Amino acid sequence: NLRYGDERMAVRYFRPLDIFYYKKLKFFIHGDGTMPDNLVPGAIPSAYAFIRFGIDSMNYYEYRRPLLRGWQDIEIQLSDLTSIKQIRDTSRIYQRQVFPVPNEPLASFAIRGNPILTRVLFVGFGIANPAERYPNELTTTMWIDELRLISPESSNDWAAVASTELKLADVASINASFNYTQPNFHRLEERFGN
């Protein structure tokens, strides 16, 4: 009995999670038999499904699309999120802003505040009853399965360290060192570069 214009979300909190070095976020979503099989662009859907992730309720990214019957395989290009953040930063508006998803006319991205992919503290899945459906209430079931990050950054990089010491008898001593690290270089015990 979700009222028109309302939404509900189930949230999972994490220790700071760095997803910057992945290219895609994928999951499956399922709408029950009360949802339509397909939707014409411009039509008002029965319900929206969304994923929201970020630092907190004031700093997050969101992907939203109409909930349809059956299983759908959802794939979010994380580079699209950094692109919309860059566009949004040039406007200096930090309220919630909505952007279209490339090649998906029914879906949209939203950004609020200043979320960062190197510090994700929560992931939430939700359902929304569009306000345009007044006065209809929504009763349905939505399933989510296999949330995963894929296509990690796999390019090779290198680092170099050099040092030298020059002693001039008892007069002087000169020490020099050089340290250089490429962005995607990481040690065996580190997960990613810095």
Side-chain angles (χ1 to χ4, degrees):
N1 296 330
L2 190 61
R3 296 192 61 200
Y4 59 92
D6 284 352
E7 59 186 37
R8 296 292 181 267
M9 182 171 63
V11 178
R12 168 87 191 265
Y13 295 96
F14 300 96
R15 59 176 173 70
L17 182 65
D18 184 354
I19 65 172
F20 182 77
Y21 292 100
Y22 290 92
K23 295 177 183 159
K24 299 175 186 175
L25 176 71
K26 290 187 76 167
F27 59 93
F28 295 103
I29 191 165
H30 181 276
D32 69 7
T34 63
M35 295 293 110
D37 287 324
N38 56 26
L39 194 65
V40 178
I44 298 169
S46 300
Y48 285 106
F50 63 89
I51 179 174
R52 190 177 289 168
F53 57 95
I55 300 171
D56 55 31
S57 63
M58 300 299 283
N59 300 283
Y60 61 80
Y61 291 107
E62 180 183 287
Y63 171 85
R64 184 176 291 239
R65 66 172 293 147
L67 182 61
L68 301 175
R69 180 181 303 154
W71 287 104
Q72 291 101 54
D73 187 6
I74 308 297
E75 181 176 296
I76 300 170
Q77 298 288 332
L78 295 177
S79 61
D80 291 343
L81 297 177
T82 55
S83 297
I84 66 167
K85 185 177 180 186
Q86 189 174 25
I87 292 167
R88 193 282 319 263
D89 285 349
T90 59
S91 68
R92 297 180 188 248
I93 299 172
Y94 295 98
Q95 298 301 321
R96 187 175 194 274
Q97 287 184 292
V98 178
F99 298 87
V101 176
N103 303 318
E104 286 190 59
L106 300 175
S108 64
F109 286 129
I111 183 172
R112 181 175 183 177
N114 193 26
I116 51 177
L117 294 177
T118 57
R119 189 168 176 250
V120 174
L121 297 174
F122 82 94
V123 173
F125 284 97
I127 190 165
N129 189 1
E132 299 85 5
R133 294 193 67 236
Y134 172 82
N136 295 334
E137 291 185 344
L138 174 66
T139 301
T140 190
T141 303
M142 178 177 79
W143 297 339
I144 308 294
D145 197 14
E146 292 187 29
L147 175 65
R148 61 212 183 272
L149 291 162
I150 62 169
S151 300
E153 178 61 53
S154 61
S155 59
N156 296 327
D157 257 333
W158 57 275
V161 176
S163 68
T164 185
E165 180 179 349
L166 178 64
K167 286 191 175 189
L168 301 173
D170 292 334
V171 178
S173 175
I174 299 172
N175 294 320
S177 64
F178 173 77
N179 188 0
Y180 182 77
T181 305
Q182 289 280 319
N184 290 322
F185 175 80
H186 64 277
R187 296 182 180 136
L188 291 176
E189 67 271 7
E190 293 175 347
R191 185 164 178 168
F192 290 110
N194 52 14

